[in-house]
Amino acid sequence: MEDHAPAGARRPAVQLCAVDHGPGIADVTVALRDGFSTTSASLGAGLGTCLRISDAFDLYSEPGRGTVAVARIRQRPGARREPAGPGPRAGGVNVPLAHAPWSGDAWSWVRHGPHLTLMLADGLGHGAKAAHASRTAVDLLSAAAHLPPAEMLRHLHTALRRTRGAAVAVAQLDTGTAQLRFAGVGNVAARIRTGGTWRPLVSHPGIVGAHFPATVPVQHTPWPAGSLLVVHSDGLPSRWTPPDDPRLLTRDPAVVAAAVLRDASSSARPARDDTSVAVLADDPGTAAHDRP
């Protein structure tokens, strides 16, 4: 699962994500202490070591349902821990179909003035050509960060004509006015949670780079404190159930994305496509193991 720093940041990073459907961890705080283990055959240093050596680490566990842990390590000297300051954050996971070397999905985010823009692209088909289309969209995001969502999609349409095309969703948050604008073209989807209620944000039919619509509807919605947005490719089942555990909704956005992906799939319903889930969250609050 690949980590995406803000477009243009050019800070190499590795994101490690561990997901299971196990019994869960009864007391996360205790489990993070060096020396704690549920078996005598272990030194009990695994989670504690992950916490120490990572730039960012977060863990969510629910008894009887399983655990999600995310660690990010960036290539940079000096102090290790990522700041956990206030403000919206983005994160996500990207899983190729059948452990293939290429994923046709890609996502990224960028800040420009008061605007934070989250983009997810799903290249048509699978394999290297699909990956080329989605990565082309991601690579252009930084240069187009000043554009509103509909104009950004038109800009990407021109650039993606040299590729097989992609479905693309753009969510742009104005932190000054606390307003979110969303526009999508193709089979990508989103759901937003405000005031404790989930509702869908709908994309318009078409293909960025091939069959672009004459008009792109832009949906405007308030972004009050505690809001959360989930954007995903069609690898996620269309009838996935949004999370409702308040503890999960305040975790690192990549943890939320991984939990959404885990809970939407099962061995009885294997993935049929590359799957990418990206999350934009309000200031998530931080547990002790998140703070520098």
Side-chain angles (χ1 to χ4, degrees):
M1 296 184 179
E2 184 180 2
D3 172 45
H4 288 256
R10 306 306 181 198
R11 291 189 299 159
V14 172
Q15 175 171 289
L16 305 176
C17 182
V19 181
D20 71 27
H21 291 272
I25 300 173
D27 191 326
V28 172
T29 302
V30 172
L32 287 169
R33 296 173 184 166
D34 285 334
F36 174 81
S37 178
T38 57
T39 173
S40 59
S42 171
L43 294 176
L47 288 178
T49 300
C50 290
L51 177 60
R52 284 193 304 276
I53 70 173
S54 60
D55 292 293
F57 179 83
D58 200 8
L59 184 149
Y60 166 75
S61 188
E62 184 178 0
R65 195 163 190 175
T67 300
V68 176
V70 169
R72 283 188 292 276
I73 301 173
R74 300 196 184 280
Q75 186 181 14
R76 62 184 177 92
R80 300 288 301 171
R81 304 292 288 172
E82 286 182 1
R89 295 195 297 173
V93 294
N94 185 358
V95 181
L97 176 66
H99 307 291
W102 300 94
S103 173
D105 294 353
W107 69 272
S108 191
W109 64 279
V110 64
R111 293 182 188 271
H112 180 81
H115 295 151
L116 187 156
T117 303
L118 174 67
M119 185 189 72
L120 187 146
D122 180 357
L124 266 64
H126 307 284
K129 291 185 178 180
H132 172 63
S134 60
R135 289 301 309 183
T136 298
V138 163
D139 291 342
L140 292 169
L141 178 59
S142 182
H146 63 289
L147 298 174
E151 292 301 316
M152 184 179 294
L153 288 169
R154 291 189 183 95
H155 175 76
L156 294 175
H157 171 65
T158 300
L160 265 61
R161 284 176 176 170
R162 299 185 298 271
T163 74
R164 61 170 53 178
V168 183
V170 174
Q172 189 171 80
L173 174 62
D174 187 327
T175 58
T177 62
Q179 294 286 319
L180 182 80
R181 294 179 290 183
F182 175 86
V185 172
N187 199 9
V188 285
R191 294 190 196 181
I192 186 170
R193 185 181 190 271
T194 57
T197 301
W198 288 92
R199 61 185 178 87
L201 297 176
V202 181
S203 295
H204 196 73
I207 301 171
V208 179
H211 303 292
F212 199 79
T215 59
V216 180
V218 179
Q219 297 162 76
H220 299 254
T221 182
W223 184 268
S227 298
L228 187 139
L229 175 74
V230 177
V231 185
H232 62 88
S233 64
D234 61 351
L236 197 72
S238 59
R239 295 185 179 181
W240 63 278
T241 301
D244 58 4
D245 184 347
R247 296 179 303 120
L248 171 60
L249 297 175
T250 60
R251 305 317 311 161
D252 185 288
V255 170
V256 179
V260 166
L261 179 58
R262 177 197 65 181
D263 296 341
S265 60
S266 69
S267 58
R269 185 173 52 190
R272 297 182 179 179
D273 200 353
D274 303 316
T275 306
S276 189
V277 181
V279 172
L280 176 63
D282 197 35
D283 177 16
T286 52
H289 54 276
D290 298 316
R291 300 187 185 114

